[in-house]
Amino acid sequence: METIDILWIGLGGGVGSLLRWQVGRLVDRRIAAPFKAGTFLINVSGAFVLAYISASLAIGWEHRYGDVISSLVLTGLLGGYTTFSTMQLDAVEMAAARRHALSVFYLAASVGAGLLAAAAGVALARA
């Protein structure tokens, strides 16, 4: 990994994190519900975009740095945009509020929808 890759990843990660924060705030303001729609939308859309770009440009997981698209966009921007840890925290908060079924549904729906979104991104890129 070159120094420029580190800079691209840092820049992309910062922008992606800010985008995640803003999208999450906007969605959660509009959809006030125990189900964390903001985090759900962020992770599903991020999975779709990551898969679409990766498949379109034939970039494998072992090549997440080495050029601007891989470092800045895939690893940095989309890595900063998506959030596994917030998804987990959301589920714990739902369970702590005695919404155990919703917590399990949220986790299953997040993973399932993310996988479907990634598959759709790959399919669209190959169409």
Side-chain angles (χ1 to χ4, degrees):
M1 183 180 307
E2 301 291 325
T3 303
I4 191 69
D5 292 315
I6 295 167
L7 294 172
W8 286 131
I9 291 167
L11 176 64
V15 171
S17 295
L18 290 170
L19 184 60
R20 170 180 18 114
W21 172 68
Q22 189 63 19
V23 169
R25 285 183 56 220
L26 290 171
V27 172
D28 288 341
R29 261 196 230 147
R30 287 187 168 57
I31 303 173
F35 186 89
K36 301 295 185 172
T39 305
F40 181 82
L41 175 68
I42 288 163
N43 286 335
V44 172
S45 64
F48 174 82
V49 173
L50 181 74
Y52 177 79
I53 294 171
S54 294
S56 292
L57 302 177
I59 298 171
W61 289 108
E62 67 279 7
H63 303 293
R64 288 290 180 233
Y65 56 87
D67 63 40
V68 174
I69 295 295
S70 294
S71 296
L72 176 67
V73 178
L74 298 178
T75 301
L77 182 77
L78 292 169
Y81 176 69
T82 58
T83 174
F84 183 79
S85 56
T86 301
M87 180 182 74
Q88 303 304 309
L89 180 60
D90 290 345
V92 167
E93 288 175 353
M94 287 178 219
R98 300 196 181 280
R99 295 176 195 235
H100 301 290
L102 182 62
S103 177
V104 170
F105 173 76
Y106 174 75
L107 289 172
S110 293
V111 172
L115 289 171
L116 288 174
V122 169
L124 183 63
R126 293 184 178 164

